[in-house]
Short mmCIF file of all heavy atoms in Angstrom, two decimals:
data_model
loop_
_atom_site.label_atom_id
_atom_site.label_comp_id
_atom_site.label_asym_id
_atom_site.label_seq_id
_atom_site.Cartn_x
_atom_site.Cartn_y
_atom_site.Cartn_z
N MET R 1 -6.88 -22.93 -10.96
CA MET R 1 -7.74 -22.30 -12.04
C MET R 1 -9.18 -22.74 -11.73
O MET R 1 -9.43 -23.85 -11.34
CB MET R 1 -7.27 -22.83 -13.37
CG MET R 1 -8.05 -22.21 -14.47
SD MET R 1 -7.41 -22.81 -16.09
CE MET R 1 -6.46 -21.33 -16.53
N GLU R 2 -10.09 -21.82 -11.86
CA GLU R 2 -11.46 -22.03 -11.58
C GLU R 2 -12.20 -22.67 -12.79
O GLU R 2 -12.03 -22.22 -13.92
CB GLU R 2 -12.08 -20.72 -11.22
CG GLU R 2 -13.47 -20.83 -10.56
CD GLU R 2 -13.98 -19.54 -10.07
OE1 GLU R 2 -13.34 -18.91 -9.17
OE2 GLU R 2 -15.02 -19.10 -10.59
N PHE R 3 -12.96 -23.70 -12.49
CA PHE R 3 -13.70 -24.38 -13.57
C PHE R 3 -15.19 -24.60 -13.15
O PHE R 3 -15.44 -24.68 -11.95
CB PHE R 3 -13.08 -25.80 -13.87
CG PHE R 3 -11.76 -25.80 -14.38
CD1 PHE R 3 -10.67 -26.07 -13.51
CD2 PHE R 3 -11.50 -25.53 -15.70
CE1 PHE R 3 -9.38 -26.07 -13.99
CE2 PHE R 3 -10.20 -25.63 -16.22
CZ PHE R 3 -9.12 -25.83 -15.38
N ASN R 4 -16.06 -24.74 -14.11
CA ASN R 4 -17.41 -25.14 -13.75
C ASN R 4 -17.37 -26.69 -13.57
O ASN R 4 -16.36 -27.33 -13.90
CB ASN R 4 -18.44 -24.65 -14.77
CG ASN R 4 -18.27 -25.26 -16.12
OD1 ASN R 4 -17.77 -26.34 -16.32
ND2 ASN R 4 -18.69 -24.52 -17.15
N THR R 5 -18.44 -27.28 -13.11
CA THR R 5 -18.37 -28.74 -12.76
C THR R 5 -18.00 -29.68 -13.89
O THR R 5 -17.06 -30.49 -13.70
CB THR R 5 -19.77 -29.11 -12.15
OG1 THR R 5 -20.10 -28.31 -11.07
CG2 THR R 5 -19.81 -30.59 -11.79
N PRO R 6 -18.60 -29.58 -15.09
CA PRO R 6 -18.18 -30.47 -16.18
C PRO R 6 -16.70 -30.37 -16.56
O PRO R 6 -16.01 -31.34 -16.83
CB PRO R 6 -19.06 -30.14 -17.36
CG PRO R 6 -20.25 -29.49 -16.77
CD PRO R 6 -19.71 -28.77 -15.53
N GLN R 7 -16.21 -29.09 -16.60
CA GLN R 7 -14.85 -28.85 -16.90
C GLN R 7 -13.91 -29.41 -15.87
O GLN R 7 -12.85 -29.95 -16.18
CB GLN R 7 -14.59 -27.34 -17.11
CG GLN R 7 -15.26 -26.75 -18.37
CD GLN R 7 -15.10 -25.26 -18.30
OE1 GLN R 7 -15.14 -24.57 -17.25
NE2 GLN R 7 -15.02 -24.65 -19.44
N ALA R 8 -14.25 -29.26 -14.60
CA ALA R 8 -13.41 -29.71 -13.49
C ALA R 8 -13.35 -31.26 -13.53
O ALA R 8 -12.33 -31.82 -13.32
CB ALA R 8 -14.00 -29.24 -12.13
N ILE R 9 -14.50 -31.87 -13.75
CA ILE R 9 -14.50 -33.34 -13.82
C ILE R 9 -13.58 -33.84 -14.96
O ILE R 9 -12.82 -34.81 -14.80
CB ILE R 9 -15.93 -33.92 -13.92
CG1 ILE R 9 -16.64 -33.64 -12.62
CG2 ILE R 9 -15.93 -35.40 -14.33
CD1 ILE R 9 -18.16 -33.95 -12.65
N ARG R 10 -13.68 -33.15 -16.11
CA ARG R 10 -12.81 -33.56 -17.23
C ARG R 10 -11.41 -33.36 -16.87
O ARG R 10 -10.51 -34.20 -17.20
CB ARG R 10 -13.20 -32.73 -18.44
CG ARG R 10 -12.71 -33.22 -19.78
CD ARG R 10 -13.33 -32.48 -20.92
NE ARG R 10 -14.75 -32.56 -20.96
CZ ARG R 10 -15.58 -31.50 -20.87
NH1 ARG R 10 -15.14 -30.31 -20.66
NH2 ARG R 10 -16.88 -31.65 -20.90
N LYS R 11 -11.06 -32.25 -16.23
CA LYS R 11 -9.62 -31.91 -15.86
C LYS R 11 -9.09 -33.02 -14.89
O LYS R 11 -7.97 -33.47 -15.01
CB LYS R 11 -9.62 -30.55 -15.20
CG LYS R 11 -8.26 -30.13 -14.69
CD LYS R 11 -7.37 -29.64 -15.79
CE LYS R 11 -6.12 -29.04 -15.17
NZ LYS R 11 -5.15 -28.82 -16.14
N ILE R 12 -9.92 -33.38 -13.88
CA ILE R 12 -9.53 -34.41 -12.92
C ILE R 12 -9.30 -35.75 -13.62
O ILE R 12 -8.30 -36.43 -13.41
CB ILE R 12 -10.65 -34.56 -11.78
CG1 ILE R 12 -10.71 -33.27 -10.94
CG2 ILE R 12 -10.32 -35.73 -10.93
CD1 ILE R 12 -11.96 -33.17 -10.08
N LYS R 13 -10.23 -36.11 -14.47
CA LYS R 13 -10.22 -37.37 -15.18
C LYS R 13 -8.98 -37.51 -16.09
O LYS R 13 -8.31 -38.57 -16.08
CB LYS R 13 -11.47 -37.56 -16.04
CG LYS R 13 -11.57 -38.87 -16.77
CD LYS R 13 -12.84 -38.95 -17.52
CE LYS R 13 -12.90 -40.24 -18.34
NZ LYS R 13 -14.07 -40.27 -19.19
N LEU R 14 -8.61 -36.46 -16.76
CA LEU R 14 -7.50 -36.49 -17.71
C LEU R 14 -6.13 -36.18 -17.08
O LEU R 14 -5.14 -36.35 -17.72
CB LEU R 14 -7.78 -35.51 -18.84
CG LEU R 14 -8.97 -35.82 -19.70
CD1 LEU R 14 -9.23 -34.77 -20.71
CD2 LEU R 14 -8.84 -37.21 -20.33
N SER R 15 -6.13 -35.77 -15.84
CA SER R 15 -4.84 -35.44 -15.19
C SER R 15 -4.00 -36.69 -14.96
O SER R 15 -4.49 -37.73 -14.51
CB SER R 15 -5.13 -34.77 -13.84
OG SER R 15 -3.89 -34.58 -13.14
N PRO R 16 -2.71 -36.60 -15.26
CA PRO R 16 -1.80 -37.77 -15.03
C PRO R 16 -1.37 -37.88 -13.60
O PRO R 16 -0.80 -38.86 -13.19
CB PRO R 16 -0.59 -37.43 -15.94
CG PRO R 16 -0.51 -35.90 -16.02
CD PRO R 16 -2.03 -35.53 -15.98
N LYS R 17 -1.77 -36.89 -12.77
CA LYS R 17 -1.39 -36.89 -11.36
C LYS R 17 -2.14 -37.97 -10.62
O LYS R 17 -3.37 -38.10 -10.80
CB LYS R 17 -1.69 -35.52 -10.74
CG LYS R 17 -1.12 -34.33 -11.45
CD LYS R 17 0.40 -34.31 -11.26
CE LYS R 17 0.88 -33.04 -11.96
NZ LYS R 17 2.26 -32.92 -12.06
N SER R 18 -1.47 -38.68 -9.78
CA SER R 18 -2.17 -39.76 -9.00
C SER R 18 -2.32 -39.28 -7.52
O SER R 18 -3.15 -39.85 -6.77
CB SER R 18 -1.37 -41.03 -9.01
OG SER R 18 -0.08 -40.86 -8.46
N ASN R 19 -1.58 -38.26 -7.11
CA ASN R 19 -1.72 -37.65 -5.78
C ASN R 19 -2.75 -36.54 -5.79
O ASN R 19 -2.42 -35.48 -6.38
CB ASN R 19 -0.39 -37.22 -5.27
CG ASN R 19 -0.40 -36.87 -3.82
OD1 ASN R 19 -1.30 -37.22 -3.13
ND2 ASN R 19 0.61 -36.11 -3.38
N ILE R 20 -3.93 -36.70 -5.28
CA ILE R 20 -4.98 -35.71 -5.33
C ILE R 20 -5.39 -35.27 -3.95
O ILE R 20 -5.70 -36.16 -3.10
CB ILE R 20 -6.18 -36.26 -6.10
CG1 ILE R 20 -5.76 -36.68 -7.52
CG2 ILE R 20 -7.32 -35.23 -6.11
CD1 ILE R 20 -6.85 -37.40 -8.30
N LEU R 21 -5.39 -33.96 -3.73
CA LEU R 21 -5.82 -33.42 -2.42
C LEU R 21 -7.17 -32.73 -2.67
O LEU R 21 -7.30 -31.84 -3.45
CB LEU R 21 -4.83 -32.41 -1.88
CG LEU R 21 -3.54 -32.92 -1.31
CD1 LEU R 21 -2.69 -31.74 -0.91
CD2 LEU R 21 -3.83 -33.80 -0.13
N VAL R 22 -8.21 -33.21 -1.97
CA VAL R 22 -9.59 -32.64 -1.95
C VAL R 22 -9.77 -31.94 -0.64
O VAL R 22 -9.93 -32.70 0.34
CB VAL R 22 -10.59 -33.64 -2.32
CG1 VAL R 22 -11.99 -32.97 -2.37
CG2 VAL R 22 -10.37 -34.26 -3.67
N ASP R 23 -9.83 -30.65 -0.56
CA ASP R 23 -9.97 -29.96 0.65
C ASP R 23 -8.99 -30.40 1.78
O ASP R 23 -9.33 -30.59 2.87
CB ASP R 23 -11.40 -29.96 1.22
CG ASP R 23 -12.37 -29.01 0.52
OD1 ASP R 23 -11.84 -28.09 -0.15
OD2 ASP R 23 -13.56 -29.16 0.64
N GLY R 24 -7.76 -30.68 1.32
CA GLY R 24 -6.72 -31.05 2.22
C GLY R 24 -6.62 -32.52 2.54
O GLY R 24 -5.69 -32.90 3.33
N LYS R 25 -7.46 -33.35 1.97
CA LYS R 25 -7.43 -34.79 2.28
C LYS R 25 -7.06 -35.54 0.97
O LYS R 25 -7.63 -35.21 -0.07
CB LYS R 25 -8.80 -35.23 2.73
CG LYS R 25 -9.22 -34.61 4.03
CD LYS R 25 -10.56 -35.11 4.48
CE LYS R 25 -11.06 -34.37 5.70
NZ LYS R 25 -12.45 -34.67 6.02
N HIS R 26 -6.22 -36.55 1.14
CA HIS R 26 -5.85 -37.41 -0.02
C HIS R 26 -7.06 -38.17 -0.50
O HIS R 26 -7.70 -38.87 0.32
CB HIS R 26 -4.70 -38.32 0.30
CG HIS R 26 -3.45 -37.55 0.45
ND1 HIS R 26 -2.64 -37.14 -0.58
CD2 HIS R 26 -2.78 -37.11 1.56
CE1 HIS R 26 -1.59 -36.48 -0.12
NE2 HIS R 26 -1.65 -36.44 1.22
N GLN R 27 -7.39 -38.16 -1.77
CA GLN R 27 -8.50 -38.90 -2.35
C GLN R 27 -8.08 -39.51 -3.66
O GLN R 27 -7.07 -39.10 -4.27
CB GLN R 27 -9.68 -37.94 -2.61
CG GLN R 27 -10.16 -37.15 -1.46
CD GLN R 27 -11.01 -37.94 -0.42
OE1 GLN R 27 -11.56 -38.95 -0.85
NE2 GLN R 27 -10.93 -37.58 0.79
N CYS R 28 -8.90 -40.43 -4.16
CA CYS R 28 -8.66 -41.03 -5.47
C CYS R 28 -9.43 -40.13 -6.52
O CYS R 28 -10.19 -39.32 -6.10
CB CYS R 28 -9.13 -42.50 -5.54
SG CYS R 28 -10.86 -42.67 -5.45
N LYS R 29 -9.20 -40.38 -7.77
CA LYS R 29 -9.84 -39.61 -8.81
C LYS R 29 -11.39 -39.71 -8.78
O LYS R 29 -12.11 -38.69 -8.96
CB LYS R 29 -9.41 -40.01 -10.20
CG LYS R 29 -8.02 -39.50 -10.52
CD LYS R 29 -7.65 -39.82 -11.95
CE LYS R 29 -6.32 -39.25 -12.28
NZ LYS R 29 -5.93 -39.42 -13.71
N LEU R 30 -11.88 -40.89 -8.51
CA LEU R 30 -13.35 -41.09 -8.46
C LEU R 30 -13.95 -40.26 -7.34
O LEU R 30 -15.03 -39.60 -7.48
CB LEU R 30 -13.69 -42.57 -8.26
CG LEU R 30 -15.18 -42.91 -8.27
CD1 LEU R 30 -15.83 -42.54 -9.58
CD2 LEU R 30 -15.35 -44.40 -8.05
N GLN R 31 -13.32 -40.22 -6.13
CA GLN R 31 -13.76 -39.44 -4.99
C GLN R 31 -13.75 -37.94 -5.35
O GLN R 31 -14.58 -37.22 -4.98
CB GLN R 31 -13.01 -39.79 -3.73
CG GLN R 31 -13.29 -41.12 -3.20
CD GLN R 31 -12.29 -41.51 -2.13
OE1 GLN R 31 -11.02 -41.27 -2.30
NE2 GLN R 31 -12.78 -42.09 -1.01
N ALA R 32 -12.69 -37.53 -6.02
CA ALA R 32 -12.52 -36.15 -6.41
C ALA R 32 -13.61 -35.70 -7.37
O ALA R 32 -14.18 -34.64 -7.28
CB ALA R 32 -11.15 -35.94 -7.00
N MET R 33 -13.93 -36.61 -8.35
CA MET R 33 -14.98 -36.31 -9.29
C MET R 33 -16.37 -36.24 -8.60
O MET R 33 -17.24 -35.34 -8.90
CB MET R 33 -15.01 -37.28 -10.41
CG MET R 33 -13.79 -37.14 -11.34
SD MET R 33 -13.87 -38.16 -12.83
CE MET R 33 -13.32 -39.73 -12.18
N SER R 34 -16.61 -37.08 -7.66
CA SER R 34 -17.82 -37.10 -6.87
C SER R 34 -17.95 -35.83 -6.09
O SER R 34 -19.03 -35.21 -5.95
CB SER R 34 -17.87 -38.34 -5.94
OG SER R 34 -18.98 -38.33 -5.14
N PHE R 35 -16.85 -35.39 -5.45
CA PHE R 35 -16.80 -34.10 -4.72
C PHE R 35 -17.17 -32.95 -5.65
O PHE R 35 -17.89 -32.04 -5.27
CB PHE R 35 -15.36 -33.95 -4.17
CG PHE R 35 -15.15 -32.58 -3.55
CD1 PHE R 35 -15.53 -32.31 -2.25
CD2 PHE R 35 -14.53 -31.57 -4.26
CE1 PHE R 35 -15.38 -31.05 -1.68
CE2 PHE R 35 -14.32 -30.31 -3.67
CZ PHE R 35 -14.75 -30.10 -2.42
N ALA R 36 -16.68 -32.97 -6.86
CA ALA R 36 -16.92 -31.89 -7.79
C ALA R 36 -18.39 -31.75 -8.13
O ALA R 36 -18.88 -30.61 -8.38
CB ALA R 36 -16.15 -32.13 -9.12
N LEU R 37 -19.15 -32.79 -8.03
CA LEU R 37 -20.61 -32.76 -8.35
C LEU R 37 -21.39 -31.94 -7.26
O LEU R 37 -22.55 -31.53 -7.51
CB LEU R 37 -21.21 -34.13 -8.43
CG LEU R 37 -20.76 -34.94 -9.65
CD1 LEU R 37 -21.26 -36.37 -9.53
CD2 LEU R 37 -21.18 -34.29 -10.93
N LYS R 38 -20.81 -31.68 -6.14
CA LYS R 38 -21.45 -30.90 -5.09
C LYS R 38 -21.28 -29.42 -5.21
O LYS R 38 -21.78 -28.60 -4.44
CB LYS R 38 -20.89 -31.32 -3.72
CG LYS R 38 -21.15 -32.79 -3.38
CD LYS R 38 -20.53 -33.19 -2.09
CE LYS R 38 -20.65 -34.67 -1.83
NZ LYS R 38 -19.95 -35.08 -0.61
N TYR R 39 -20.52 -28.99 -6.28
CA TYR R 39 -20.21 -27.57 -6.48
C TYR R 39 -20.50 -27.11 -7.90
O TYR R 39 -20.37 -27.87 -8.84
CB TYR R 39 -18.76 -27.33 -6.15
CG TYR R 39 -18.46 -27.46 -4.69
CD1 TYR R 39 -18.13 -28.69 -4.13
CD2 TYR R 39 -18.51 -26.34 -3.86
CE1 TYR R 39 -17.87 -28.82 -2.78
CE2 TYR R 39 -18.26 -26.48 -2.50
CZ TYR R 39 -17.99 -27.69 -1.99
OH TYR R 39 -17.70 -27.80 -0.62
N HIS R 40 -20.86 -25.82 -8.04
CA HIS R 40 -21.07 -25.20 -9.39
C HIS R 40 -19.64 -24.78 -9.88
O HIS R 40 -19.43 -24.80 -11.07
CB HIS R 40 -21.95 -23.98 -9.33
CG HIS R 40 -23.38 -24.36 -9.07
ND1 HIS R 40 -24.11 -25.17 -9.96
CD2 HIS R 40 -24.24 -24.08 -8.07
CE1 HIS R 40 -25.36 -25.31 -9.52
NE2 HIS R 40 -25.46 -24.63 -8.36
N LYS R 41 -18.81 -24.30 -9.04
CA LYS R 41 -17.47 -23.81 -9.38
C LYS R 41 -16.46 -24.51 -8.46
O LYS R 41 -16.65 -24.60 -7.26
CB LYS R 41 -17.33 -22.33 -9.20
CG LYS R 41 -18.15 -21.47 -10.10
CD LYS R 41 -17.52 -21.35 -11.42
CE LYS R 41 -18.34 -20.41 -12.33
NZ LYS R 41 -17.88 -20.43 -13.65
N ILE R 42 -15.38 -24.97 -9.12
CA ILE R 42 -14.33 -25.72 -8.43
C ILE R 42 -12.98 -25.15 -8.82
O ILE R 42 -12.73 -24.80 -10.00
CB ILE R 42 -14.38 -27.24 -8.80
CG1 ILE R 42 -15.71 -27.84 -8.39
CG2 ILE R 42 -13.27 -28.00 -8.05
CD1 ILE R 42 -16.63 -27.98 -9.53
N ASP R 43 -12.10 -25.05 -7.80
CA ASP R 43 -10.75 -24.54 -8.10
C ASP R 43 -9.86 -25.82 -8.21
O ASP R 43 -9.75 -26.59 -7.29
CB ASP R 43 -10.22 -23.70 -6.97
CG ASP R 43 -8.76 -23.23 -7.21
OD1 ASP R 43 -8.50 -22.66 -8.28
OD2 ASP R 43 -7.91 -23.46 -6.34
N VAL R 44 -9.25 -26.04 -9.37
CA VAL R 44 -8.36 -27.18 -9.60
C VAL R 44 -6.99 -26.61 -9.90
O VAL R 44 -6.79 -25.94 -10.94
CB VAL R 44 -8.88 -28.03 -10.79
CG1 VAL R 44 -7.93 -29.19 -11.04
CG2 VAL R 44 -10.29 -28.51 -10.57
N THR R 45 -6.01 -26.92 -9.05
CA THR R 45 -4.67 -26.39 -9.20
C THR R 45 -3.76 -27.58 -9.30
O THR R 45 -3.70 -28.49 -8.52
CB THR R 45 -4.28 -25.58 -7.98
OG1 THR R 45 -5.24 -24.57 -7.72
CG2 THR R 45 -2.89 -24.92 -8.15
N GLU R 46 -2.94 -27.53 -10.40
CA GLU R 46 -2.00 -28.60 -10.65
C GLU R 46 -0.61 -28.10 -10.29
O GLU R 46 -0.17 -27.09 -10.77
CB GLU R 46 -2.05 -28.98 -12.14
CG GLU R 46 -1.56 -30.36 -12.43
CD GLU R 46 -1.91 -30.79 -13.84
OE1 GLU R 46 -2.95 -30.37 -14.38
OE2 GLU R 46 -1.16 -31.61 -14.35
N THR R 47 0.09 -28.81 -9.36
CA THR R 47 1.42 -28.45 -8.98
C THR R 47 2.35 -29.57 -9.42
O THR R 47 1.88 -30.52 -10.12
CB THR R 47 1.57 -28.24 -7.44
OG1 THR R 47 1.17 -29.46 -6.79
CG2 THR R 47 0.64 -27.09 -6.97
N LEU R 48 3.62 -29.47 -9.02
CA LEU R 48 4.62 -30.56 -9.49
C LEU R 48 4.22 -32.00 -9.11
O LEU R 48 4.17 -32.86 -9.95
CB LEU R 48 5.96 -30.21 -8.92
CG LEU R 48 6.66 -29.07 -9.48
CD1 LEU R 48 7.98 -28.79 -8.73
CD2 LEU R 48 6.89 -29.26 -10.94
N GLY R 49 3.74 -32.19 -7.89
CA GLY R 49 3.44 -33.55 -7.51
C GLY R 49 2.00 -33.91 -7.23
O GLY R 49 1.70 -35.06 -6.97
N GLU R 50 1.12 -32.91 -7.36
CA GLU R 50 -0.27 -33.22 -6.97
C GLU R 50 -1.28 -32.33 -7.66
O GLU R 50 -0.94 -31.29 -8.24
CB GLU R 50 -0.44 -33.15 -5.45
CG GLU R 50 -0.25 -31.75 -4.94
CD GLU R 50 -0.17 -31.77 -3.36
OE1 GLU R 50 0.07 -32.84 -2.80
OE2 GLU R 50 -0.32 -30.70 -2.83
N LEU R 51 -2.57 -32.74 -7.54
CA LEU R 51 -3.68 -32.00 -8.07
C LEU R 51 -4.42 -31.56 -6.79
O LEU R 51 -4.83 -32.39 -5.94
CB LEU R 51 -4.51 -32.89 -8.95
CG LEU R 51 -5.57 -32.26 -9.80
CD1 LEU R 51 -4.90 -31.38 -10.86
CD2 LEU R 51 -6.34 -33.37 -10.45
N THR R 52 -4.69 -30.30 -6.61
CA THR R 52 -5.42 -29.72 -5.48
C THR R 52 -6.76 -29.23 -5.88
O THR R 52 -6.85 -28.46 -6.80
CB THR R 52 -4.59 -28.60 -4.78
OG1 THR R 52 -3.28 -29.07 -4.43
CG2 THR R 52 -5.29 -28.13 -3.48
N ILE R 53 -7.84 -29.69 -5.19
CA ILE R 53 -9.18 -29.40 -5.55
C ILE R 53 -9.87 -28.74 -4.36
O ILE R 53 -9.86 -29.32 -3.26
CB ILE R 53 -9.94 -30.65 -6.01
CG1 ILE R 53 -9.17 -31.25 -7.16
CG2 ILE R 53 -11.33 -30.35 -6.34
CD1 ILE R 53 -9.53 -32.71 -7.50
N LYS R 54 -10.51 -27.63 -4.62
CA LYS R 54 -11.32 -26.92 -3.55
C LYS R 54 -12.65 -26.45 -4.18
O LYS R 54 -12.65 -25.95 -5.28
CB LYS R 54 -10.51 -25.67 -3.05
CG LYS R 54 -9.25 -26.12 -2.33
CD LYS R 54 -8.53 -24.85 -1.84
CE LYS R 54 -7.22 -25.24 -1.20
NZ LYS R 54 -6.44 -24.12 -0.85
N GLY R 55 -13.73 -26.65 -3.48
CA GLY R 55 -14.99 -26.19 -3.89
C GLY R 55 -15.15 -24.68 -3.62
O GLY R 55 -14.73 -24.17 -2.60
N ILE R 56 -15.78 -23.96 -4.57
CA ILE R 56 -15.95 -22.51 -4.42
C ILE R 56 -17.41 -22.15 -4.27
O ILE R 56 -17.80 -21.52 -3.29
CB ILE R 56 -15.37 -21.78 -5.64
CG1 ILE R 56 -13.82 -22.09 -5.67
CG2 ILE R 56 -15.59 -20.32 -5.54
CD1 ILE R 56 -13.10 -21.58 -6.91
N VAL R 57 -18.25 -22.55 -5.19
CA VAL R 57 -19.72 -22.21 -5.15
C VAL R 57 -20.51 -23.53 -4.99
O VAL R 57 -20.62 -24.28 -5.95
CB VAL R 57 -20.14 -21.45 -6.45
CG1 VAL R 57 -21.62 -21.17 -6.38
CG2 VAL R 57 -19.30 -20.27 -6.66
N PRO R 58 -21.00 -23.79 -3.81
CA PRO R 58 -21.72 -25.00 -3.59
C PRO R 58 -23.11 -25.13 -4.28
O PRO R 58 -23.75 -24.02 -4.49
CB PRO R 58 -21.86 -25.13 -2.06
CG PRO R 58 -21.76 -23.76 -1.55
CD PRO R 58 -20.87 -23.02 -2.55
N VAL R 59 -23.56 -26.30 -4.61
CA VAL R 59 -24.92 -26.51 -5.12
C VAL R 59 -25.88 -26.25 -4.02
O VAL R 59 -25.68 -26.73 -2.91
CB VAL R 59 -25.04 -27.90 -5.69
CG1 VAL R 59 -26.51 -28.18 -6.09
CG2 VAL R 59 -24.16 -28.07 -6.86
N GLY R 60 -26.93 -25.53 -4.29
CA GLY R 60 -27.95 -25.25 -3.24
C GLY R 60 -27.52 -24.29 -2.16
O GLY R 60 -28.12 -24.24 -1.12
N GLY R 61 -26.50 -23.54 -2.39
CA GLY R 61 -25.95 -22.65 -1.38
C GLY R 61 -26.25 -21.26 -1.78
O GLY R 61 -26.46 -20.28 -1.48
#
């Protein structure tokens, strides 16, 4: 699901998932939230075992 930056950070922070993939790489929640600050729009998808995060609209792009 597509979120703007504050919503994506909130979603990452509140997610019970500990397995997080950011652009295909395993990251912790803090790294994922830091990654989200580089984008205006972020795709956050929650599956059975993990949270997948992909940047869509970069800042300054």
Side-chain angles (χ1 to χ4, degrees):
M1 180 177 260
E2 193 173 299
F3 295 100
N4 64 28
T5 303
Q7 292 171 327
I9 290 173
R10 196 171 302 116
K11 176 80 172 168
I12 294 165
K13 182 179 175 184
L14 296 176
S15 175
K17 308 288 183 189
S18 61
N19 190 17
I20 301 172
L21 286 177
V22 178
D23 279 345
K25 297 178 185 173
H26 290 278
Q27 304 285 333
C28 69
K29 285 187 178 186
L30 184 59
Q31 290 169 315
M33 289 186 280
S34 176
F35 171 83
L37 292 173
K38 298 177 185 176
Y39 290 87
H40 289 298
K41 293 279 184 189
I42 300 102
D43 179 54
V44 179
T45 306
E46 203 166 332
T47 60
L48 288 176
E50 64 192 18
L51 195 65
T52 304
I53 302 164
K54 295 179 184 173
I56 297 174
V57 180
V59 172

